[in-house]
């Protein structure tokens, strides 16, 4: 396994939020990063801000052909693939009475099916480099939070997928872990309808800060640091690391 300063990394959902922060952080540490996203202007802006260490691809992880192009681009840019980070996600913030089957299927496709199939596509390269996969899970698996409760089962599947693939791929030298993320103001929450764009950070802080043991919400860079740790910790696999300020634990009543 290479060090971060000598590695090639794919980051999905790299046009904003956790994906953009992770790509920037790993590039600063010396990695060559290949980022993707559905909106070319967003992904290109992030890649240009990072500089020559970043390559970008307009790609929808739900599309098999786009997944193939992404893997090929990472191999061209970085000479192989050491780390695959799944930051692309779909959060549909609605109660059960208001969600329809199309919404639910789309959420599972992006959160579960697409990262599974992208991992499959990248697997030969990950085996060749004895690399790592990092999924992005959610504190919602441990602490149900309406009105996005139907989102939690999709992330529960991601947590279990992490464990299953860690066992399956470990003998091939590939490590698989997951960050279970707490309250962070990211664009996915805005697009879902859970937050207003102009007040996202304030809404998250006011809602979750008071009930988080550390009494504040998170910053995308803090999640990126945890992703880096899991990606390069050579004797760690199957880990689901809570990066949530303690939100998943709830509050101690005294």
């Amino acid at each position: 396994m290479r060090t971060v300063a000598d590695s090639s990394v794919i980051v999905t959902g790299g046009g904003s939020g956790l994906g953009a922060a992770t790509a920037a952080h790993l590039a600063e540490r010396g990695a060559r990063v290949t980022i993707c996203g559905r909106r070319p202007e967003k992904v290109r802006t992030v890649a240009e801000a990072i500089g020559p260490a970043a390559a970008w691809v307009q790609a929808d992880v739900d599309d098999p052909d786009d997944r193939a192009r992404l893997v090929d681009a990472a191999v061209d840019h970085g000479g192989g693939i050491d780390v695959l980070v799944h930051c692309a996600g779909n959060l549909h913030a609605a109660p059960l009475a208001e969600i329809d089957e199309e919404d639910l299927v789309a959420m599972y496709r992006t959160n579960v099916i697409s990262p599974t199939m992208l991992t499959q596509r990248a697997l030969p390269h990950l085996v060749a480099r004895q690399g790592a996969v990092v999924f992005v899970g959610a504190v919602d698996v441990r602490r149900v939070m309406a009105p996005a409760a139907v989102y939690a089962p999709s992330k529960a599947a991601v947590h279990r997928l992490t464990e299953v693939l860690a066992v399956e791929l470990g003998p091939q030298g590939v490590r698989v872990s997951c960050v279970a993320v707490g309250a962070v103001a990211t664009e996915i929450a805005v697009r879902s309808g859970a937050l207003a764009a102009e007040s996202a950070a304030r809404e998250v802080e006011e809602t979750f800060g008071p009930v988080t043991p550390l009494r504040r919400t998170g910053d995308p860079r803090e999640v990126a640091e945890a992703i880096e740790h899991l990606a390069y910790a050579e004797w760690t696999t199957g880990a689901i690391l809570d990066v949530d300020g303690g939100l998943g634990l709830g509050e101690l009543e005294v």
Side-chain angles (χ1 to χ4, degrees):
M1 178 64 190
R2 301 186 177 204
T3 65
V4 62
D6 187 29
S7 62
S8 172
V9 183
I10 290 176
V11 181
T12 69
S16 63
L18 300 182
T22 299
H25 175 74
L26 294 178
E28 286 175 6
R29 301 275 286 139
R32 295 179 300 282
V33 296
T34 302
I35 62 176
C36 77
R38 297 174 178 174
R39 296 167 295 171
E41 68 282 359
K42 289 277 189 180
V43 188
R44 181 177 60 250
T45 297
V46 172
E48 289 176 350
I50 291 172
W56 67 276
V57 179
Q58 180 186 2
D60 181 347
V61 293
D62 294 343
D63 185 303
D65 292 336
D66 282 6
R67 293 195 292 262
R69 288 195 303 107
L70 173 60
V71 168
D72 290 345
V75 172
D76 289 343
H77 178 60
I81 301 171
D82 296 285
V83 176
L84 171 57
V85 184
H86 295 289
C87 288
N90 182 327
L91 166 60
H92 191 81
L96 179 61
E98 297 176 14
I99 197 166
D100 60 34
E101 186 171 336
E102 184 177 342
D103 296 328
L104 196 59
V105 169
M107 193 155 51
Y108 273 83
R109 182 185 301 117
T110 301
N111 292 349
V112 184
I113 297 171
S114 296
T116 301
M117 300 313 296
L118 179 56
T119 301
Q120 181 192 69
R121 186 80 190 193
L123 185 58
H125 303 285
L126 291 166
V127 171
R129 295 286 190 97
Q130 300 289 274
V133 180
V134 183
F135 290 98
V136 174
V139 67
D140 305 63
V141 175
R142 297 180 62 183
R143 182 169 182 168
V144 177
M145 292 179 281
V150 293
Y151 167 74
S154 72
K155 287 301 184 179
V158 171
H159 288 202
R160 190 58 172 162
L161 179 63
T162 297
E163 297 169 335
V164 168
L165 292 185
V167 172
E168 178 180 338
L169 302 182
Q172 300 177 60
V174 176
R175 295 170 294 102
V176 185
S177 296
C178 176
V179 286
V181 181
V184 179
T186 58
E187 190 173 336
I188 186 175
V190 174
R191 294 200 310 269
S192 75
L195 299 173
E198 64 275 9
S199 58
R202 178 179 55 79
E203 286 187 53
V204 170
E205 191 64 44
E206 290 178 354
T207 301
F208 296 104
V211 297
T212 298
L214 290 183
R215 291 299 187 267
R216 68 174 180 86
T217 56
D219 182 272
R221 288 297 292 247
E222 294 173 306
V223 179
E225 291 168 357
I227 289 172
E228 179 193 356
H229 169 70
L230 291 176
Y232 298 95
E234 294 192 7
W235 209 50
T236 297
T237 195
I240 298 174
L241 177 62
D242 291 343
V243 188
D244 64 356
L247 181 61
L249 300 172
E251 289 193 281
L252 178 64
E253 295 184 6
V254 294

